[in-house]
Amino acid sequence: MKCRHCQAPLNQPFVDLGSAPPSNAYLSEPDLHRPETHYPLRVLVCSECHLVQTEDYVTEDTVFDADYAYFSSTSRGWLAHAKAYCERMTERFDLGSESFVIEVASNDGYLLRNFVERGIPCLGIEPTASTASAAREVGVETLEAFFGTELAEKLSRERGKADLIAGNNVFAHVPDINDFTAGLAAALKPEGVITLEFPHVMRLVEFCQFDTIYHEHFSYLSLLTVERIFEKAGLRVFDVEELPTHGGSLRVYGCRQAAGHARTSAVETVLAEEHRRGMDTDGYYEGFQVRADGIKDGLLRFLLKAKQEGKSVAGYGAAAKGNTLLNYAGVRPDLLPFVCDAAAAKIGKFMPGSRIPILDPAVLETWRPDYLLILPWNIAEEVRTQNAHLTEQGTRFVIAVPELTIL
């Protein structure tokens, strides 16, 4: 395999998480009587541009299909994040009724509905039928398609170019990152702005967030690497923000090379920190496997001890990161009998690989576990707040990453 960006040979391993089904390939009852397709989940590092990337085994239409079950609006915290983004971008870039906003991977309309409410013309681009349909129900015009240069050029001819292109948690999800980035450039006005949010690989390494690795994520990004990818597409980074979302993310602001947006000091600050940590060296990425194994072993010790002591454990949040963790650790219903999730699209289904049933959170009112393992640790406080009454009944909340912690 060669690097997705610079085509250099890939020889440096980062982590091997065994084999697993795609993390959002939730199972229905009939699926339990059929075999599941498992793919190797291995990650490599390019020694030239230091793009961290999964080995090629699945295509985007395999993991982003009509039954895709991740709906962004399920998280109240993420809805608040989206609303704040709309308010900030509208004010900073003076967006109004004459503007045009595009969101790539617009999911269920969680973000663009805020622009609709403000009377700002917008278009969502979303390849999964389930979420695109939900977006239309809240008034967001949505095109069902995968984004790339060909689509961007077609949209530019038919709809005009965009003042703002948003991409939240999509940059890491595209197999052809060069074509995707060139598409952003093709769809952008001369003074337009691109914002991309993605988990920062610096935080992934720092806190050993290996459970954020799954087949839907083709790349794991630093600002150093993003600058190179942008430059190849005729773009440049002019600002960046460090965000707490998803365990530590970057919001990168991009524009055309000739645009008038001044580069802020924040860009140099983040780049300097990445250089200081050695993220442009091979050594930075070594030793991750041992740390991931330690977290996996800690979770297994906890679950086995709870079982031996007759303590009950349930899971909360049928998130993709939870599927990575459970499959890598080999956890099955004997150690974790069910996982609760508020998303209607997941209730009644089963976790891929582990085949653990997904139940409505209402079950916790009658089946009160001694421990509730929060799989999406990035929203642990939101989950604890929503289920504070369980603490009064004796339930203790647990997270496994970056280390087994009873909250």
Side-chain angles (χ1 to χ4, degrees), residues 205-224:
V205 173
E206 180 179 2
F207 298 109
C208 201
Q209 298 166 348
F210 73 90
D211 58 340
T212 61
I213 294 170
Y214 32 93
H215 296 105
E216 291 90 335
H217 281 175
F218 292 90
S219 302
Y220 304 86
L221 299 155
S222 64
L223 186 58
L224 287 163

Side-chain angles (χ1 to χ4, degrees), residues 121-406:
C122 58
L123 175 68
I125 301 172
E126 171 56 52
T128 64
S130 55
T131 57
S133 176
R136 295 189 191 100
E137 290 177 5
V138 295
V140 176
E141 182 186 358
T142 304
L143 175 64
E144 283 182 40
F146 287 103
F147 183 81
T149 303
E150 183 178 352
L151 179 61
E153 291 174 347
K154 182 175 184 290
L155 286 174
S156 295
R157 291 191 301 268
E158 297 177 356
R159 301 288 297 268
K161 296 183 184 292
D163 297 275
L164 173 66
I165 302 176
N168 287 347
N169 302 308
V170 62
F171 207 36
H173 288 69
V174 292
D176 191 342
I177 200 165
N178 290 336
D179 178 74
F180 180 89
T181 310
L184 296 175
L188 191 67
K189 286 183 179 179
E191 291 296 325
V193 173
I194 299 160
T195 68
L196 298 175
E197 294 183 24
F198 49 84
H200 195 183
V201 73
M202 185 176 82
R203 301 305 179 195
L204 186 154
V205 173
E206 180 179 2
F207 298 109
C208 201
Q209 298 166 348
F210 73 90
D211 58 340
T212 61
I213 294 170
Y214 32 93
H215 296 105
E216 291 90 335
H217 281 175
F218 292 90
S219 302
Y220 304 86
L221 299 155
S222 64
L223 186 58
L224 287 163
T225 300
V226 169
E227 277 218 310
R228 292 183 58 142
I229 296 170
F230 269 33
E231 184 177 358
K232 181 179 177 68
L235 300 169
R236 63 180 175 86
V237 175
F238 71 88
D239 197 6
V240 64
E241 296 176 55
E242 294 185 86
L243 305 173
T245 53
H246 297 287
S249 297
L250 294 181
R251 176 186 290 157
V252 168
Y253 293 74
C255 62
R256 293 178 179 272
Q257 289 283 1
H261 300 284
R263 186 174 170 107
T264 70
S265 61
V267 178
E268 304 308 327
T269 298
V270 174
L271 288 174
E273 181 61 19
E274 291 186 348
H275 280 297
R276 186 190 71 79
R277 294 183 183 229
M279 294 180 69
D280 52 352
T281 68
D282 291 350
Y284 177 80
Y285 303 92
E286 296 172 353
F288 192 80
Q289 181 78 56
V290 173
R291 297 168 61 203
D293 289 346
I295 292 172
K296 174 199 65 162
D297 295 346
L299 173 62
L300 283 173
R301 281 194 297 268
F302 166 75
L303 292 174
L304 289 167
K305 182 179 179 183
K307 184 177 182 179
Q308 291 168 356
E309 294 178 349
K311 301 289 187 180
S312 56
V313 184
Y316 195 101
K321 56 170 53 72
N323 288 321
T324 293
L325 176 64
L326 298 178
N327 282 314
Y328 184 45
V331 175
R332 298 296 181 263
D334 63 314
L335 293 179
L336 193 67
F338 65 87
V339 172
C340 294
D341 198 281
K346 296 179 183 180
I347 294 170
K349 294 189 175 181
F350 299 80
M351 304 279 271
S354 67
R355 303 194 166 199
I356 295 171
I358 304 169
L359 305 181
D360 190 303
V363 72
L364 297 174
E365 301 303 323
T366 53
W367 199 92
R368 298 170 183 172
D370 295 300
Y371 297 103
L372 191 63
L373 174 64
I374 303 174
L375 295 171
W377 43 261
N378 53 301
I379 59 168
E381 284 306 310
E382 179 180 333
V383 173
R384 289 179 68 188
T385 300
Q386 292 175 358
N387 296 276
H389 61 287
L390 295 178
T391 302
E392 300 170 2
Q393 299 165 3
T395 297
R396 304 187 69 183
F397 296 91
V398 183
I399 58 171
V401 179
E403 61 182 356
L404 201 290
T405 304
I406 299 176

Side-chain angles (χ1 to χ4, degrees), residues 20-26 36-39 58 62-63 214-216 323 352:
S23 283
N24 280 298
Y26 296 92
E36 286 180 85
T37 301
H38 287 58
Y39 302 91
V58 298
T62 300
V63 294
Y214 32 93
H215 296 105
E216 291 90 335
N323 288 321

